[in-house]
Amino acid sequence: MSADPAGRAGYLDHPPRMGFFTDTSICIGCKACEVACKEWNAVPEDGLSLSGMSYDNTVGLGASTWRHVAFIEQPVTAVADAAEGVRWLMSSDVCKHCTESACLDVCPTGALFRTEFGTVVVQDDVCNGCGYCVGACPFGVIARREEDGQAHKCTLCYDRLGAGMEPACAKACPTESIQFGPLDELRERAALRVADLRAAGQDQAQLYLNDPGDGIGGAGAFFLLLDEPEVYGLPPDPVVTTRDLPSIWKHVGLAAAGLAATGVALALGRRPR
């Protein structure tokens, strides 16, 4: 798998791959990122009623939720006085901008494309609403909007990047839980942060989707988690859903060739002598 998705897409001279590092250990659940994303990208309002999932009113990522702040309450026992309590885990989720992007692989119109920054963007005026990308995403990020029938997701503020600006969500985050920059620099920063947390006793601190050798070739948006990915509603070992397509088509081709050869042999065997 190539660590340079922009180069593989044909950009011979391109800027460094840009992305997000979301440090959930300092997320305060303020939802400033959700609001900033909606305001800048003109994303429609998607519900203001309580969902029954703690203080989470947006529930998950979708066509009208490009940033989603998860609120996770865990019963814990305080070490000092053995009193029962609750630990809050908060995390701002977003499209992963995968190195190996199944949504790109299955799009029949070219509505999804790889940018010079290595990110993945949907072109609204090209999308025909087929929905192939929806089922292909291993994270359930992309979805179709009922109002227009088209697929929508985070663009990593492609228009802002082109103007030398950081994405709206990172700009609005008051604690710098959402950090933006060249992906290689973010990975170095994240490794140091995990080491600091573990030294402070946070033994479960771990990085998620930062490994270029994983099932999606690493992500353009990765996370520091304080528990297992499943706790945050994230798949533990995601794999690009189109990974096996080449071998599948190869076997289909061999099967078709075999059937054709059998048909020819049968036809020749029945020819009158």
Side-chain angles (χ1 to χ4, degrees):
M1 294 182 181
S2 172
D4 180 19
R8 191 176 60 188
Y11 296 98
L12 300 180
D13 184 18
H14 60 82
R17 186 178 182 185
M18 309 299 283
F20 287 128
F21 163 46
T22 302
D23 183 350
T24 70
S25 69
I26 53 176
C27 176
I28 59 174
C30 67
K31 288 181 173 280
C33 55
E34 287 192 13
V35 175
C37 174
K38 284 184 176 292
E39 288 185 342
W40 180 263
N41 295 291
V43 177
E45 180 268 320
D46 54 357
L48 299 175
S49 59
L50 292 178
S51 63
M53 297 171 61
S54 185
Y55 292 99
D56 188 346
N57 68 304
T58 47
V59 181
L61 294 172
S64 296
T65 305
W66 296 1
R67 267 281 179 188
H68 166 243
V69 177
F71 291 77
I72 301 155
E73 300 177 50
Q74 289 183 324
V76 296
T77 302
V79 176
D81 55 6
E84 292 297 324
V86 173
R87 178 173 76 157
W88 287 83
L89 297 178
M90 300 173 188
S91 173
S92 181
D93 197 11
V94 72
C95 172
K96 314 309 182 288
H97 295 275
C98 309
T99 300
E100 299 292 330
S101 297
C103 57
L104 278 174
D105 294 338
V106 301
C107 180
T109 65
L112 283 130
F113 75 100
R114 181 80 66 179
T115 76
E116 66 272 29
F117 300 102
T119 58
V120 179
V121 173
V122 184
Q123 301 173 93
D124 295 343
D125 57 342
V126 183
C127 176
N128 67 357
C130 69
Y132 292 166
C133 57
V134 177
C137 177
F139 300 98
V141 165
I142 195 165
R144 287 185 298 183
R145 193 175 293 157
E146 291 185 6
E147 290 77 8
D148 59 21
Q150 295 175 320
H152 300 273
K153 72 170 192 68
C154 162
T155 67
L156 218 150
C157 284
Y158 182 45
D159 53 343
R160 292 174 67 93
L161 266 59
M165 303 164 66
E166 64 180 324
C169 57
K171 181 73 173 178
C173 182
T175 65
E176 296 186 352
S177 169
I178 301 171
Q179 300 179 36
F180 166 77
L183 201 57
D184 290 340
E185 294 181 13
L186 293 177
R187 284 175 174 157
E188 293 178 3
R189 192 183 308 168
L192 294 174
R193 177 62 178 161
V194 169
D196 288 343
L197 286 171
R198 288 180 176 173
Q202 293 279 6
D203 297 333
Q204 288 186 295
Q206 59 186 285
L207 294 179
Y208 178 68
L209 302 182
N210 72 309
D211 182 6
D214 64 18
I216 60 169
F222 67 101
F223 305 78
L224 188 157
L225 306 179
L226 296 180
D227 209 324
E228 296 303 316
E230 300 93 318
V231 173
Y232 294 84
L234 298 167
D237 297 301
V239 174
V240 59
T241 52
T242 53
R243 178 189 61 180
D244 297 324
L245 278 181
S247 62
I248 290 173
W249 284 116
K250 178 181 178 181
H251 285 90
V252 169
L254 290 173
L259 287 173
T262 301
V264 171
L266 289 172
L268 292 174
R270 292 173 181 170
R271 180 176 297 174
R273 299 178 182 275

